[in-house]
Amino acid sequence: VSQTATKIHPLDTSREDIEKNLEHFRNAVEKNDPGAQKTAAGVLSKALELNQWRARETLYLVPSGPFYFVPWGALNIETPVIVLPNGGWIVRLTKSWNGKKTASVVGDPDFAGKLPQLPGARIEAQEIAALYGTQPLIGASATENALRADIGDGVKVLHLATHGHFNAAQPLQSAVVLRGQNHVHYLTAERLFKNPLAARLVVLSACETGAGKAIAGDDFLGLTRSLYLGGAITVLNSLWSIDDMGTLEFMKKFHSAAQQGDYGQAWLAARNHLRKLGYPPSVYGAFVLGGASSD
């Protein structure tokens, strides 16, 4: 779609082939086989005919079915890819942010021995918080009540570095994990829908936070949808289990670049940074950016 015309480009492939290619890529990720990941990513890039899309600055995509699960960062593409909740999102009008607090950051909540602690997430939260000049919520302080108090009337950036939980049978029970009262606390997609977190850019630095379930009408149930309905304009999330050190490098680069206001270019810069460092596609392609490309 351009300012003057629209063009339909049918792909010389089928939905079933795309699903099969995605399955091959996910199998290579689960086997931790970088060579197979690169091969599968190349096959998927060719099937999607990315060189025919002619994206010059940013590629906006309204997904359908299996396209919700395409790891765009792992593919042979050199422009930012922004996944839109719907076709009207690109012209959605939002008020400029003029809040008092720039960022809220959570990292490595105290899981009360119920889940493994995340020392890499703790370091990540500390370094990301330092970029924004704020104090992170870590360990026993990383509760839902403390997070909501820290956000207050709203923040520009919310970064959650913790465990993620994907519930395939009940996508609205997918959650990010925080500290509870002597137990772990699951902040579910359902709870976020009913009681949103007031943040514009939400970064879910946790495993499988971008996973969900596509239903009839191409709606998408999961954490991302709940965040959008709660007021987020941009969401960065993962498609599978993520690597500690690779994620730290990705997030530092992303947030540093994002402060210039262009989230699409920040995503691409972080992807390219990890690729140059020699990480496999499963690491540099784990995160998908959705919503608005800039604040």
Side-chain angles (χ1 to χ4, degrees), residues 105-128:
V105 181
V106 170
D108 189 29
D110 184 347
F111 300 116
K114 304 297 183 182
L115 294 171
Q117 292 301 138
L118 300 169
R122 179 176 292 249
I123 296 171
E124 177 184 325
Q126 291 169 334
E127 297 205 18
I128 299 306

Side-chain angles (χ1 to χ4, degrees), residues 25-207:
F25 184 86
R26 288 299 295 264
N27 288 340
V29 171
E30 291 175 5
K31 293 177 181 178
N32 195 25
D33 186 337
Q37 292 168 24
K38 291 179 181 178
T39 298
V43 171
L44 186 56
S45 298
K46 185 176 180 180
L48 293 174
E49 301 178 34
L50 293 181
N51 61 332
Q52 299 295 320
W53 293 26
R54 303 184 185 279
R56 296 179 180 177
E57 296 181 4
T58 303
L59 172 61
Y60 294 98
L61 182 94
V62 182
S64 174
F67 280 83
Y68 279 106
F69 309 104
V70 172
W72 298 103
L75 304 188
N76 301 329
I77 192 165
E78 298 302 330
T79 56
V81 180
I82 312 292
V83 178
L84 302 178
N86 55 59
W89 198 265
I90 196 170
V91 293
R92 181 171 178 258
L93 296 176
T94 60
K95 295 181 180 179
S96 60
W97 182 83
N98 57 2
K100 296 179 180 179
K101 187 174 176 61
T102 301
S104 288
V105 181
V106 170
D108 189 29
D110 184 347
F111 300 116
K114 304 297 183 182
L115 294 171
Q117 292 301 138
L118 300 169
R122 179 176 292 249
I123 296 171
E124 177 184 325
Q126 291 169 334
E127 297 205 18
I128 299 306
L131 282 174
Y132 292 103
T134 189
Q135 290 296 317
L137 298 173
I138 290 174
S141 299
T143 66
E144 181 179 348
N145 287 340
L147 175 60
R148 292 189 181 279
D150 193 56
I151 291 175
D153 294 334
V155 292
K156 187 174 184 180
V157 179
L158 170 60
H159 183 99
L160 300 171
T162 180
H163 282 296
H165 171 69
F166 172 53
N167 189 322
Q170 297 178 292
L172 287 176
Q173 297 308 305
S174 297
V176 290
V177 187
L178 300 175
R179 169 68 177 178
Q181 192 76 27
N182 299 318
H183 59 80
V184 293
H185 174 68
Y186 291 91
L187 182 56
T188 65
E190 180 180 18
R191 181 165 177 77
L192 285 168
F193 171 68
K194 293 178 179 178
N195 190 9
L197 297 174
R200 292 171 69 83
L201 167 64
V202 180
V203 177
L204 297 174
S205 183
C207 297

